């Protein structure tokens, strides 16, 4: 049987309560395997980030369950700014490895390798406030590449990139997923990103439709 990395069973997520409650997800069922290569599409506000955060274990469903039987590391590229302001780029990328108990020299070496793969080695000594939005996105991708995730969840990782860097980031995520034998899900509303992935899930007002092959 194929290993499951994450499974949503009847998952709903409502923000707030009473008359102002927002139902961001309606009874979603889905599963991710190591071979999954999913483009999570849908217009802004359709629930992509909500689903991604639930799959990552960063949020709890209002009803239903999210199972992560694989217990492997999950690498998340966040949609918004996620680098810690007082740390330089190399320190930001090394931090998760240090928090996981890695030796400082190893963490620094892996961080340098990941920054170089992501084409941003020259930014190593910069502070987050000195980066453009696109540079910060590529550093956030490098931070995931420095680890050994079994599941990579990337939330609009190319939203602020030009065509060349957009294609490079998608290639990098696909290569990393292949090397690590990790599942990959990329939330995007860019059809040019989705076209690079074999599976397509479409969120529509909190409901998920799997449309299979692109
Ligand atoms: P997407 O990533 O597809 O743009 P989101 O998952 O961010 O969609 O949002 C889905 C819906 O939930 C939207 O209506 C959004 O306004 C709402 N929402 C998201 N996060 C919150 C929150 N923390 N509090 C209240 N409403 C939220
Ligand atoms: Mg979003």
């Amino acid at each position: 049987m194929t290993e499951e990395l994450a499974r949503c069973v009847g998952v709903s997520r409502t923000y707030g309560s009473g008359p102002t409650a927002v139902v961001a997800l309606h009874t979603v069922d889905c599963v991710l395997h190591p071979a999954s290569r999913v483009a999570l599409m849908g217009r802004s506000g359709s629930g992509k980030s909500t689903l991604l955060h639930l799959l990552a274990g960063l949020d709890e469903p209002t009803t239903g369950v999210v199972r992560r039987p694989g217990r492997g590391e999950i690498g998340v590229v966040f949609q918004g700014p996620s680098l810690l302001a007082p740390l330089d780029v190399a320190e930001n990328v090394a931090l998760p490895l240090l928090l996981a108990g890695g030796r400082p020299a190893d963490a620094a070496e892996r961080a340098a390798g990941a920054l170089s793969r992501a084409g941003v080695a020259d930014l190593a000594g910069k502070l987050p406030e000195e980066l453009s939005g696109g540079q910060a996105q590529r550093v956030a991708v490098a931070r995931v590449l420095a680890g050994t995730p079994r599941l990579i969840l990337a939330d609009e990782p190319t939203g602020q990139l030009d065509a060349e860097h957009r294609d490079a980031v998608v290639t990098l995520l696909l290569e990393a997923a292949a090397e690590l034998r990790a599942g990959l899900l990329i939330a995007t509303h860019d059809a040019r990103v989705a076209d690079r992935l074999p599976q397509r899930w479409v969120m529509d007002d909190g409901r998920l439709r799997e449309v299979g092959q692109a």
Side-chain angles (χ1 to χ4, degrees):
M1 232 181 85
T2 319
E3 181 191 359
E4 285 187 10
L5 301 171
R7 175 183 282 276
C8 290
V9 184
V11 164
S12 304
R13 177 67 168 98
T14 301
Y15 294 110
S17 59
T20 58
V22 175
V23 183
L25 291 182
H26 290 273
T27 52
V28 166
D29 296 295
C30 61
V31 60
L32 291 168
H33 300 285
S36 297
R37 301 286 180 269
V38 176
L40 177 61
M41 301 197 71
R43 61 182 175 73
S44 182
S46 59
K48 301 182 296 297
S49 293
T50 299
L51 178 59
L52 192 143
H53 293 159
L54 286 164
L55 286 166
L58 298 168
D59 186 20
E60 294 292 325
T62 308
T63 62
V65 286
V66 181
R67 296 201 193 110
R68 268 177 302 280
R71 306 215 181 283
E73 189 185 318
I74 299 182
V76 181
V77 182
F78 291 94
Q79 181 169 2
S82 64
L83 302 175
L84 298 181
L87 302 183
D88 72 22
V89 161
E91 291 167 337
N92 263 286
V93 173
L95 183 66
L97 303 172
L98 294 173
L99 293 176
R103 288 175 41 223
D106 291 341
E109 194 182 317
R110 289 187 66 99
L115 287 168
S116 142
R117 266 185 88 174
V120 284
D122 54 322
L123 303 178
K126 296 225 185 259
L127 289 169
E129 68 186 20
E130 299 175 286
L131 306 180
S132 71
Q135 288 173 330
Q137 275 193 319
R138 292 163 73 201
V139 171
V141 169
R143 183 171 53 183
V144 166
L145 301 182
T148 50
R150 295 301 320 285
L151 178 58
I152 301 172
L153 303 170
D155 199 351
E156 315 249 12
T158 63
Q160 298 186 54
L161 301 180
D162 55 39
E164 185 189 338
H165 289 129
R166 175 192 70 216
D167 292 342
V169 158
V170 177
T171 299
L172 210 51
L173 289 169
L174 283 165
E175 285 176 0
E179 274 166 35
L180 295 161
R181 278 180 286 156
L184 173 65
L185 175 143
I186 303 180
T188 182
H189 50 246
D190 187 338
R192 291 162 302 190
V193 172
D195 284 347
R196 306 262 324 263
L197 297 160
Q199 288 163 275
R200 206 172 273 208
W201 295 359
V202 180
M203 290 285 322
D204 184 9
D205 214 2
R207 292 173 208 280
L208 184 67
R209 276 187 300 126
E210 295 188 23
V211 293
Q213 296 290 323

